[in-house]
Amino acid sequence: MPHSASAAQKGTAGQCNNAGLVGATWTYNWGASAPSNLAAGVQFYPMWWSYYGATQAADTAGLTAIKAAGYPVLLAYNEPDNASQSNLTTAYALQGYTHISVASKAIGFPNIISPACADDGDTWMTEFMAAVKSNGLVCHAVGVHCYDSTASAFLSYVDGIHNKYGYNLYVTEFAPTDWKSPTAITVANCETYMASAVPGLKSRAYVLDYSWYCGTEPGTGTLQTAALFNTNNTLTALGSQYKTY
């Protein structure tokens, strides 16, 4: 089961096969079941990436299967406020999330994490979390994504989301980036950011889990300078730093 708030656990967002190299206790890949190359000794967290109109019965059966498989947590929809991601209206997401909540209560699986939005403070999430509270839906923690380029801005954002909704947090995607230029944030910038950001998360009792975004590798993608792993599955300098936390 998830740990106490005083023992925030390190994870990886992506690169499930390499999660053990940085001492991660958990990992996820935006999918609903563990990959065949999951690192030994690392817990997988499934995600229901979107809601596709499943019935209550189907969602209850799905959550029952997750519990039976030994997965301790379910992450809900991925950036539903983002047209390029799960792209759900608040009302439609709440229909599916209500199914999850009903199933959670029925089978005794309380560790449901809210959708993580592209902007967790926006109108979409504000309306969603208001409905979660008013309808008494299950929410173990709020999912958070943030790509602010400085650790101070990132930690202020995390504090703001906690203060806004009053829930514990799972910070499931974070790393510094400049979306317009893949290398505007240097590796050295990432190292400085990580040196403040990760201890900052660990010092906040309301942060239950955190996972660095590591879906890219050096020289590829927008977040290439934030890569933890080389193409040959060895640690980058930043990966070695993440391992120390």
Side-chain angles (χ1 to χ4, degrees):
M1 299 294 288
H3 21 268
S4 67
S6 62
Q9 296 293 299
K10 173 172 58 181
T12 66
Q15 293 272 5
C16 298
N17 58 312
N18 287 323
L21 297 179
V22 290
T25 61
W26 68 282
T27 187
Y28 78 105
N29 62 1
W30 301 271
S33 57
S36 59
N37 64 350
L38 176 66
V42 178
Q43 176 68 64
F44 180 79
Y45 287 2
M47 172 185 279
W48 285 357
W49 191 85
S50 188
Y51 176 59
Y52 304 101
T55 64
Q56 178 66 69
D59 280 340
T60 298
L63 190 61
T64 301
I66 282 173
K67 183 180 180 182
Y71 299 138
V73 169
L74 176 64
L75 307 175
Y77 318 128
N78 189 73
E79 299 190 1
D81 60 335
N82 185 343
S84 67
Q85 294 298 315
S86 64
N87 191 30
L88 300 170
T89 65
T90 306
Y92 198 51
L94 280 166
Q95 178 180 316
Y97 193 84
T98 299
H99 290 177
I100 296 172
S101 179
V102 168
S104 169
K105 292 175 182 179
I107 69 172
F109 187 91
N111 301 312
I112 307 300
I113 312 307
S114 82
C117 285
D119 178 356
D120 292 284
D122 66 10
T123 299
W124 193 104
M125 192 62 166
T126 300
E127 293 177 351
F128 182 91
M129 290 307 299
V132 167
K133 289 185 177 181
S134 63
N135 295 326
L137 303 183
V138 175
C139 182
H140 178 61
V142 170
V144 172
H145 290 176
C146 185
Y147 290 96
D148 284 339
S149 60
T150 68
S152 59
F154 165 66
L155 292 171
S156 292
Y157 178 83
V158 169
D159 288 337
I161 298 304
H162 172 63
N163 292 336
K164 182 178 179 69
Y165 302 121
Y167 284 81
N168 291 326
L169 305 182
Y170 272 38
V171 182
T172 52
E173 287 187 24
F174 75 106
T177 193
D178 181 329
W179 295 112
K180 296 179 180 180
S181 176
T183 56
I185 304 294
T186 66
V187 172
N189 292 151
C190 290
E191 291 170 346
T192 299
Y193 169 101
M194 182 183 282
S196 294
V198 174
L201 291 178
K202 293 173 74 69
S203 73
R204 286 158 166 79
Y206 63 80
V207 176
L208 305 187
D209 279 301
Y210 61 92
S211 55
W212 188 268
Y213 179 83
C214 53
T216 57
E217 296 174 324
T220 64
T222 305
L223 286 138
Q224 58 184 270
T225 57
L228 302 182
F229 308 104
N230 293 306
T231 55
N232 64 352
N233 300 317
T234 59
L235 294 177
T236 63
L238 193 66
S240 294
Q241 180 177 342
Y242 194 56
K243 184 178 181 179
T244 67
Y245 299 112

